[in-house]
Amino acid sequence: MQQKAARLSKRPIGQSGRKPKGVRNHATLMAEKLMQDDAEQVVRAVVEKAKQGDMTAARLIIERIAPVRKGRPITLDLPEAKTSADLAGAMASLVRAMATGEVTPDEAATIAGVFEIRRKTIESVDFEERLAALERREQK
């Protein structure tokens, strides 16, 4: 069985050959410099192409002016959630809304995450109140 010879780096000890964190690629810096110098002309050219009917140029402009919105406002009729039991009712309403197509599964998952945060808040407040009651009872 042959043993492979260890490969020794020619770099001094402590130098991995990697760029330090935050250092940018030289080619990227050069490209940015070139674009910065001609930015106004490039924008004018893209706008002119869009005016002439170039849909790629038009899409580029539209995406920069009005980017695709992530999420949408949702109005749901949910019960007030002051207790964990209330949250169970709210979750049931959410599942119904998802089943009927009122909200998408992704939207329902986001809302369920908010319910979970609310549940943890209720749990924390309840714990603090019970602990305070026990401490008052011990002081008597």
Side-chain angles (χ1 to χ4, degrees), residues 66-74:
V68 176
R69 185 174 177 177
K70 294 182 181 182
R72 64 182 175 106
I74 299 172

Side-chain angles (χ1 to χ4, degrees), residues 5 7 13 17-18 24 29 32 40 46-47 63 77 83 85 102 104 109 116 119 124-127 134-135 137:
R7 296 182 91 191
I13 294 174
R18 295 183 180 155
R24 302 188 55 206
L29 292 172
E32 286 178 355
E40 189 174 328
V46 171
V47 169
E63 287 174 351
D77 187 23
T83 66
E102 197 175 340
T104 67
E116 177 61 14
R119 183 196 63 77
S124 295
V125 169
D126 183 48
F127 178 78
L134 283 172
E135 288 173 345
R137 200 176 314 150

Side-chain angles (χ1 to χ4, degrees), residues 81-87 114-132:
K82 290 186 176 184
T83 66
S84 293
D86 294 341
L87 283 171
V114 173
F115 288 168
E116 177 61 14
I117 292 168
R118 178 68 178 137
R119 183 196 63 77
K120 288 179 180 179
T121 302
I122 292 169
E123 191 177 81
S124 295
V125 169
D126 183 48
F127 178 78
E128 288 176 9
E129 288 173 352
R130 288 186 297 158
L131 182 60

Side-chain angles (χ1 to χ4, degrees), residues 32-77:
E32 286 178 355
K33 174 73 173 126
L34 288 171
M35 286 188 288
Q36 185 179 9
D37 292 345
D38 298 327
E40 189 174 328
Q41 291 173 340
V42 170
V43 170
R44 283 190 181 144
V46 171
V47 169
E48 192 56 41
K49 287 284 188 182
K51 286 179 180 178
Q52 294 172 4
D54 184 332
M55 296 314 292
T56 303
R59 187 179 73 241
L60 180 66
I61 293 168
I62 300 259
E63 287 174 351
R64 298 298 182 254
I65 293 172
V68 176
R69 185 174 177 177
K70 294 182 181 182
R72 64 182 175 106
I74 299 172
T75 303
L76 294 174
D77 187 23

